[in-house]
Amino acid sequence: MNTYIYGYGPAGKERLIVVDLGVTFPDMDGSPGVDLIMPDIEWLESNADRIEGIFITHAHEDHIGALAHYWPKLRKPIFARKFTGRIGALKLEEAGISANEITVVEPRPHVISLGPFKVQFVPVSHSIPESSALVIDTPAGRLVHTGDFKLDGSPIVGEPFDPVMWHEIAKEGQGIKALTCDSTNIFSPAPGRSEATLAEPLAELIAAQKGMVVATTFASNVARLKTLAEAGRAAGRQICLLGRAMRRMVSAAQETGVLTGFPPVLSPEDAADMPRHKLMLIVTGSQGERRAASAALSRGKYLGLEMKEGDSFLFSSKTIPGNERGVIRIMNAFSEMGVEVIDDHGGLYHVSGHANRPDIEAVHDLLKPRAVIPMHGEHRHLREHMKLAQSKGIASEVATNGTMLDLTDEVPQVVEHIETGRTYLDGSVLIGAMDGVVRDRIRMALNGHVLITVIIDEDDEPLGEAWVELMGLPETGKRGAALADQIEEELAEFLARAPEKVLSNDDKMDDAIRKIARQVTMEEVGKKPEVTVVVSRLIAA
Amino acid sequence: MNTYIYGYGPAGKERLIVVDLGVTFPDMDGSPGVDLIMPDIEWLESNADRIEGIFITHAHEDHIGALAHYWPKLRKPIFARKFTGRIGALKLEEAGISANEITVVEPRPHVISLGPFKVQFVPVSHSIPESSALVIDTPAGRLVHTGDFKLDGSPIVGEPFDPVMWHEIAKEGQGIKALTCDSTNIFSPAPGRSEATLAEPLAELIAAQKGMVVATTFASNVARLKTLAEAGRAAGRQICLLGRAMRRMVSAAQETGVLTGFPPVLSPEDAADMPRHKLMLIVTGSQGERRAASAALSRGKYLGLEMKEGDSFLFSSKTIPGNERGVIRIMNAFSEMGVEVIDDHGGLYHVSGHANRPDIEAVHDLLKPRAVIPMHGEHRHLREHMKLAQSKGIASEVATNGTMLDLTDEVPQVVEHIETGRTYLDGSVLIGAMDGVVRDRIRMALNGHVLITVIIDEDDEPLGEAWVELMGLPETGKRGAALADQIEEELAEFLARAPEKVLSNDDKMDDAIRKIARQVTMEEVGKKPEVTVVVSRLIAA
């Protein structure tokens, strides 16, 4: 959920630009039921009057996913290049916001002047078209924000990384004061490989298959889609794209002219009529997402198409840590169908979109920044990147979420930690990660939920017996009797004996009932459940 | 949750032996709140009179973890070698079962004769002492069950893999009819490496550290614990073991004589008094388990010991797929403390306990079985192993959970699929995976839970208004009002208008109220919650 803010001006009154408004994805472990995780932008919202504009480096969800959700809170001009702008426009329109809020800009040498900032988009190679670094000039010096990037001289779709242009950028004026730099692959020791190296292995692989071939990759990796489609065509196969995200990306890339020469595609209906050995599907869901096309095919027929013994399924992708369970589930489902599952074969059928350690070093050497601020990656990645920079005599500082760095002097200084965190899109509303809503869900999932209702009459006497409902708890306890009955019995005993001062006091009733329910449940089934107590009091007419 | 059954005799009346009774571990995605997952042994239980005995190949939880939970349902003699037997005895005693139920047996040439079976334990190398294959002779021929194994000629602790002995086993009598063989590492293309290769890199690594060194590995990898401890001692450090499972494994290995020469260890109290550069902790929790020592240290002080800037933390282990999130969380917590986190460096500081593909091929070649039944691993591993065997002209069949194979003829035949599944240990009781208990927990975690109580008087008229409690749902909806209030308002309207035939009918009331609650929640917060409705009826005195 990348969101970076640059400021220039007197302390506390800096003019600001926002770079990216990204999301991250929920999981059962920490955020069950949540739809999207976004940065908590409370500080940004309360300083919205100081924002000059919002810049989006590229159209990956972790950089653009929160744009439509947060724009209504910020209402500032958005700047992006054409493909990114097209994806952003689709998001805004879905949220009922005019696509005109986005200004589509040309790359360097075009300069966007905003308050004290002069900003240029500089093409870099990545796993989506038009990924861009930003060169941000301020009266105090030049900053470079790399965005996500790799060093690829032949990225198939989109612009190559251009060392000559970057050399110029580093030489102009006083050079680069600070480089905010991608750290994702800092632990990958070998130089990164070009997207172009995949064409031959993929073509050979697909030519060798006998049945239907299905390949999955990230929907936004338009270059890979093209390589895969061309490999399929070279093997005499017709291409069909499955999955809304993928069709949307290809359309946006074609409409904005960044993708040309993509082979014609079949509709799923027409694909279903093709002989299997003449067909190749390129599908969404490389990360095992339950609703994507890969998962759907692993469960059976999808849009009239079905995997069979002798077919092949290729993961032209890497599993992002945390997604292993979902991916493995799909692999095994295909294996059970007799489908040949092919993974990236140690990189033969997939390359990363991020600069590896030697590439990052090369960028340090090329740009000669006076300071490096590592970004993108977990804390251990940022720390490793900082150590790399420092080992070469470059000032560096790890900035965790909420950190404000002062870049005025040669060595970056941490000047403030802004209270920040995560905001959840939960259904249709935004909630704070610490609001307790999700905590309660996790507790119910771990402990089960006991509901108890008691009616107290006008004289503060129990009317009838307590009623117990269980959800997510074993029906039967150790002694072989129904757990709900056991709790009800204990509560009946309690109610029969409870003194009036307890019966007349809601808090005391709640505490006592809760305690009994937890005790009985612990004894009977060994769990301490969540308990909701409803005491209804009849009021004298 | 490995559990294998071999039978000999007339169809439906075969005498049986059970090999291993293992568990697997729950996760939030599929089994929140569950303590352990065990195989559903209903079939085995209903055929308990046919069981001759239970054999445990080694003391890993996925082979022995269900022993104490299921023994009371089977009550048959247990056979294991001494270290495995010791771990099994501890489990039985904790469950109040006599350790005498376990017969500790010597390895081949010792033979256990049980009904039509003659069984020998044959030492194999693995990542725990005394892992054993079983040679099972029946009147119909010889079967070999490898258990977990690797080809290691110098495993540090325990017996090496002995090709000469295996050559004899293959030559005796009619040779090997069928080989049930470990498939875990079938996708690892290089030959496996010996445990002994780790001694030098680990010693060098630890000698190079300046602060406190903490290493984690699987508690049961006694050989690794010894290598780590010796590397620490060679670097002038005192050793302290943290984590109950680890101390238990080392004690059991020492008591049974399989581990000798382990350096003396400090108590945590004494360790806390040592200078940091003189101390090495070896701790549990290599898989990121929240309650283990690694996770505890990542959260702060644990038993008086605390990680600090300049310390090192070594994962002498591999992350099992599915555990990445927990491991990464710990890595980043240490990174934030300024601790150097060192992973297995591509195998430099860890080797697997399983045979790789070329090792598996070597075993096929050595044992010359007439059939191979792949075991251990997911479906895709079993299938790949089957294909490997078939490619060399060996009959092979994938047997998924519940499959009964007939090995009488030269080619294994699937003859039956026995209804099977998973049983959960949930708190202190066993529940079926399909009982709906865990399904309800997952639903509450995804959707939240609405509790509604309504009181109906003696005349079938609502008494007061409906009361709504929420758990795991946003408090405030789209329109800015409290969600509970909104549902209550809608319910008030419904109750005011509901005809008597609805008010007097519990099912109709329940349906109508549930529908309203879900509708309002959907409109307000975009979620379809779980709903529990309690209609209390006052009965005329």
Side-chain angles (χ1 to χ4, degrees):
Chain A
M1 43 174 190
N2 295 289
T3 299
Y4 297 84
I5 303 162
Y6 292 90
Y8 178 82
K13 293 184 175 171
E14 300 92 347
R15 301 303 297 172
L16 308 173
I17 58 173
V18 178
V19 178
D20 292 338
L21 278 169
V23 296
T24 187
F25 297 97
D27 58 48
M28 270 301 278
D29 288 319
S31 44
V34 168
D35 294 280
L36 270 183
I37 304 176
M38 303 190 279
D40 164 12
I41 59 160
E42 200 187 313
W43 183 89
L44 200 55
E45 230 183 306
S46 63
N47 288 283
D49 58 321
R50 290 161 54 195
I51 301 173
E52 300 282 355
I54 300 164
F55 292 79
I56 306 293
T57 60
H58 65 288
H60 276 151
E61 288 297 317
D62 57 332
H63 293 260
I64 198 174
L67 181 65
H69 298 287
Y70 278 159
W71 189 84
K73 294 176 186 286
L74 304 176
R75 302 190 156 272
K76 298 294 163 185
I78 303 162
F79 300 90
R81 293 177 62 205
K82 60 189 172 186
F83 171 76
T84 311
R86 180 88 188 105
I87 298 292
L90 292 170
K91 287 181 180 293
L92 293 185
E93 280 165 357
E94 273 180 9
I97 303 164
S98 164
N100 292 333
E101 304 297 345
I102 299 178
T103 305
V104 168
V105 295
E106 291 298 314
R108 175 183 162 100
H110 179 74
V111 176
I112 303 128
S113 287
L114 269 186
F117 304 99
K118 292 187 196 310
V119 182
Q120 302 172 66
F121 281 79
V122 181
V124 288
S125 44
H126 184 45
S127 48
I128 190 170
E130 275 192 0
S131 198
S132 300
L134 299 178
V135 171
I136 305 167
D137 285 313
T138 74
R142 170 166 281 190
L143 309 176
V144 172
H145 180 100
T146 65
D148 286 355
F149 78 100
K150 67 182 288 191
L151 306 188
D152 196 334
S154 48
I156 308 292
V157 171
E159 302 100 333
F161 185 87
D162 182 351
V164 175
M165 186 187 285
W166 280 107
H167 183 65
E168 281 167 16
I169 290 167
K171 276 202 318 187
E172 288 167 1
Q174 304 297 310
I176 295 166
K177 187 167 179 58
L179 171 71
T180 311
C181 184
D182 187 357
S183 314
T184 309
N185 283 2
I186 190 76
F187 288 112
S188 301
R193 289 178 305 123
S194 167
E195 185 68 27
T197 62
L198 298 177
E200 206 178 298
L202 285 173
E204 280 173 15
L205 175 74
I206 291 163
Q209 305 309 310
K210 304 267 181 276
M212 182 166 73
V213 173
V214 184
T216 184
T217 189
F218 302 93
S220 56
N221 195 335
V222 175
R224 185 71 48 80
L225 301 181
K226 189 177 181 192
T227 304
L228 287 166
E230 285 176 348
R233 292 291 289 162
R237 291 171 184 268
Q238 299 287 315
I239 308 300
C240 171
L241 300 179
L242 287 189
R244 181 170 164 268
M246 197 167 272
R247 288 196 312 275
R248 182 172 171 150
M249 280 289 167
V250 169
S251 298
Q254 287 174 325
E255 285 160 21
T256 53
V258 305
L259 174 65
T260 53
F262 196 83
V265 296
L266 295 181
S267 68
E269 298 72 41
D270 290 343
D273 292 335
M274 291 293 294
R276 306 184 82 70
H277 67 285
K278 291 284 184 197
L279 183 61
M280 175 168 175
L281 312 180
I282 308 180
V283 307
T284 52
S286 69
Q287 299 304 306
E289 302 93 328
R290 274 171 206 262
R291 290 178 194 171
S294 296
L297 285 169
S298 80
R299 290 188 295 259
K301 211 168 217 176
Y302 178 60
L303 300 176
L305 294 157
E306 197 171 8
M307 302 290 290
K308 289 195 175 149
E309 172 125 29
D311 291 344
S312 315
F313 192 97
L314 167 67
F315 285 86
S316 180
S317 56
K318 222 191 110 181
T319 306
I320 295 172
N323 295 341
E324 287 79 2
R325 285 178 206 153
V327 171
I328 288 172
R329 192 180 303 125
I330 289 173
M331 286 181 165
N332 285 315
F334 286 138
S335 178
E336 286 178 32
M337 295 175 187
V339 169
E340 201 60 27
V341 177
I342 303 158
D343 64 13
D344 76 335
H345 271 246
L348 192 60
Y349 305 132
H350 175 67
V351 293
S352 169
H354 295 274
N356 288 355
R357 187 185 185 94
D359 309 324
I360 292 170
E361 283 197 70
V363 167
H364 293 178
D365 294 347
L366 180 65
L367 297 191
K368 298 188 174 51
R370 296 190 287 284
V372 164
I373 316 300
M375 73 169 168
H376 305 331
E378 302 150 20
H379 194 278
R380 63 199 174 105
H381 297 87
L382 305 182
R383 185 164 177 271
E384 185 72 12
H385 192 167
M386 173 188 75
K387 284 164 58 188
L388 174 68
Q390 287 174 343
S391 75
K392 302 167 82 181
I394 309 173
S396 187
E397 184 68 64
V398 168
T400 54
N401 289 341
T403 303
M404 189 189 284
L405 286 178
D406 184 351
L407 302 176
T408 310
D409 297 326
E410 290 298 283
V411 175
Q413 301 287 338
V414 175
V415 289
E416 202 176 331
H417 281 288
I418 288 158
E419 182 79 15
T420 185
R422 296 170 162 220
T423 297
Y424 294 149
L425 175 67
D426 191 49
S428 55
V429 300
L430 297 178
I431 59 176
M434 308 305 279
D435 285 2
V437 172
V438 170
R439 180 202 60 205
D440 283 349
R441 282 187 209 152
I442 293 173
R443 285 183 180 169
M444 288 191 289
L446 293 175
N447 310 324
H449 196 184
V450 176
L451 311 166
I452 300 168
T453 58
V454 176
I455 303 175
I456 304 289
D457 72 11
E458 299 89 336
D459 306 319
D460 287 340
E461 291 288 331
L463 192 63
E465 298 197 334
W467 182 264
V468 172
E469 294 268 349
L470 305 177
M471 193 151 185
L473 282 161
E475 267 186 41
T476 311
K478 254 197 320 215
R479 283 178 280 177
L483 173 59
D485 292 352
Q486 306 256 39
I487 300 172
E488 284 174 359
E489 269 174 39
E490 288 291 325
L491 288 175
E493 230 173 88
F494 158 74
L495 290 173
R497 288 183 197 173
E500 213 245 301
K501 68 171 182 184
V502 172
L503 288 170
S504 64
N505 181 312
D506 280 354
D507 289 344
K508 282 186 182 153
M509 281 286 281
D510 194 284
D511 282 354
I513 291 172
R514 185 180 306 273
K515 204 173 148 195
I516 290 166
R518 289 171 72 100
Q519 220 158 30
V520 175
T521 309
M522 192 63 194
E523 277 163 25
E524 286 297 310
V525 302
K527 295 186 82 80
K528 274 198 184 156
E530 303 307 300
V531 181
T532 298
V533 180
V534 177
V535 176
S536 304
R537 292 183 182 277
L538 304 188
I539 298 162
Chain B
M1 42 173 190
N2 296 289
T3 299
Y4 297 84
I5 303 163
Y6 291 91
Y8 179 83
K13 294 185 174 169
E14 300 91 347
R15 301 302 298 170
L16 309 173
I17 57 174
V18 178
V19 177
D20 293 340
L21 278 169
V23 296
T24 188
F25 296 98
D27 59 46
M28 268 302 277
D29 289 317
S31 44
V34 168
D35 294 277
L36 270 182
I37 303 175
M38 303 189 279
D40 164 12
I41 58 160
E42 200 187 315
W43 184 90
L44 201 55
E45 232 183 303
S46 64
N47 289 284
D49 58 323
R50 290 161 53 195
I51 302 173
E52 300 281 354
I54 301 164
F55 292 78
I56 306 293
T57 60
H58 65 287
H60 276 151
E61 289 297 317
D62 57 331
H63 293 260
I64 197 173
L67 181 64
H69 299 287
Y70 278 159
W71 189 83
K73 294 176 186 288
L74 304 176
R75 302 191 156 272
K76 297 295 163 186
I78 304 163
F79 300 89
R81 293 177 61 206
K82 59 190 173 186
F83 171 76
T84 311
R86 179 90 188 103
I87 299 292
L90 292 170
K91 288 181 179 294
L92 292 185
E93 280 165 357
E94 272 179 11
I97 302 165
S98 164
N100 292 334
E101 304 298 345
I102 300 178
T103 305
V104 168
V105 295
E106 291 299 313
R108 176 184 161 98
H110 179 75
V111 176
I112 303 131
S113 288
L114 270 185
F117 303 101
K118 293 187 196 309
V119 183
Q120 302 172 61
F121 280 80
V122 182
V124 288
S125 45
H126 183 45
S127 48
I128 190 169
E130 274 191 0
S131 199
S132 299
L134 299 178
V135 172
I136 304 167
D137 286 314
T138 75
R142 169 166 282 190
L143 309 175
V144 172
H145 180 100
T146 66
D148 285 355
F149 78 101
K150 67 183 288 191
L151 306 187
D152 196 333
S154 47
I156 307 293
V157 170
E159 301 102 331
F161 185 88
D162 183 349
V164 175
M165 187 187 286
W166 281 107
H167 184 64
E168 282 167 16
I169 291 166
K171 277 200 319 184
E172 288 166 2
Q174 304 297 310
I176 295 166
K177 187 166 179 58
L179 172 70
T180 312
C181 185
D182 187 358
S183 315
T184 311
N185 283 3
I186 190 78
F187 289 112
S188 301
R193 289 179 304 124
S194 167
E195 185 69 29
T197 61
L198 299 177
E200 205 177 298
L202 284 172
E204 280 172 16
L205 175 74
I206 291 163
Q209 305 308 309
K210 303 266 182 276
M212 183 164 74
V213 173
V214 184
T216 185
T217 188
F218 302 93
S220 56
N221 195 333
V222 174
R224 185 71 48 79
L225 301 181
K226 189 178 182 191
T227 305
L228 287 166
E230 284 175 350
R233 292 293 290 164
R237 291 171 184 268
Q238 299 287 316
I239 308 302
C240 171
L241 300 179
L242 288 188
R244 180 168 164 270
M246 197 168 271
R247 289 196 310 276
R248 183 173 170 150
M249 280 290 168
V250 169
S251 297
Q254 287 174 325
E255 285 162 19
T256 53
V258 304
L259 175 64
T260 54
F262 196 82
V265 296
L266 295 180
S267 68
E269 299 74 40
D270 291 343
D273 292 336
M274 290 293 295
R276 306 183 83 71
H277 67 285
K278 291 283 186 198
L279 184 61
M280 175 168 175
L281 312 180
I282 308 179
V283 308
T284 52
S286 68
Q287 299 305 306
E289 303 92 327
R290 274 172 206 261
R291 290 178 192 170
S294 296
L297 285 168
S298 81
R299 291 189 293 260
K301 211 168 217 174
Y302 178 61
L303 300 177
L305 293 156
E306 197 171 9
M307 302 292 289
K308 288 193 175 151
E309 173 125 29
D311 292 342
S312 314
F313 192 98
L314 167 66
F315 284 86
S316 180
S317 56
K318 221 190 111 185
T319 305
I320 295 171
N323 295 340
E324 289 79 4
R325 288 177 203 151
V327 171
I328 288 171
R329 190 181 303 125
I330 289 174
M331 286 181 165
N332 285 313
F334 285 138
S335 178
E336 286 179 32
M337 295 176 185
V339 169
E340 201 61 26
V341 177
I342 304 158
D343 64 13
D344 77 335
H345 271 245
L348 192 61
Y349 306 133
H350 175 69
V351 293
S352 168
H354 295 274
N356 288 357
R357 188 185 185 92
D359 310 325
I360 292 171
E361 284 197 69
V363 167
H364 292 178
D365 294 346
L366 181 64
L367 298 191
K368 300 187 173 50
R370 295 188 289 282
V372 164
I373 316 301
M375 72 168 169
H376 305 329
E378 303 149 18
H379 194 279
R380 62 198 174 107
H381 297 88
L382 305 182
R383 185 164 176 270
E384 185 72 13
H385 191 166
M386 173 189 74
K387 283 164 58 187
L388 175 68
Q390 288 174 342
S391 75
K392 303 168 80 179
I394 309 173
S396 187
E397 185 67 62
V398 167
T400 54
N401 290 340
T403 302
M404 190 189 284
L405 286 179
D406 183 351
L407 302 177
T408 309
D409 296 326
E410 289 300 284
V411 175
Q413 300 289 337
V414 175
V415 287
E416 202 177 332
H417 281 288
I418 289 157
E419 181 79 14
T420 184
R422 296 171 161 219
T423 297
Y424 293 149
L425 175 67
D426 191 49
S428 55
V429 301
L430 297 178
I431 58 176
M434 308 305 280
D435 286 1
V437 173
V438 169
R439 179 203 60 205
D440 283 349
R441 283 188 208 151
I442 292 172
R443 286 183 179 169
M444 288 191 289
L446 292 175
N447 308 324
H449 195 185
V450 176
L451 166 65
I452 299 167
T453 59
V454 176
I455 303 175
I456 304 290
D457 72 11
E458 298 88 335
D459 306 319
D460 286 340
E461 290 290 329
L463 193 62
E465 299 199 331
W467 181 264
V468 172
E469 294 269 347
L470 306 176
M471 193 150 185
L473 282 161
E475 267 185 40
T476 311
K478 255 197 320 214
R479 283 178 279 176
L483 173 59
D485 292 352
Q486 306 255 45
I487 301 172
E488 284 173 0
E489 268 173 40
E490 288 290 327
L491 288 175
E493 231 172 87
F494 158 73
L495 290 173
R497 288 183 196 174
E500 213 242 304
K501 67 172 180 183
V502 172
L503 287 170
S504 64
N505 182 313
D506 280 353
D507 288 344
K508 284 185 181 154
M509 282 286 280
D510 194 284
D511 282 353
I513 291 173
R514 185 181 305 273
K515 203 172 150 197
I516 291 167
R518 289 170 73 100
Q519 220 159 30
V520 175
T521 308
M522 193 63 196
E523 277 163 24
E524 286 298 310
V525 303
K527 294 186 83 79
K528 274 198 184 153
E530 302 309 300
V531 181
T532 299
V533 180
V534 178
V535 176
S536 305
R537 292 184 181 276
L538 304 187
I539 298 162

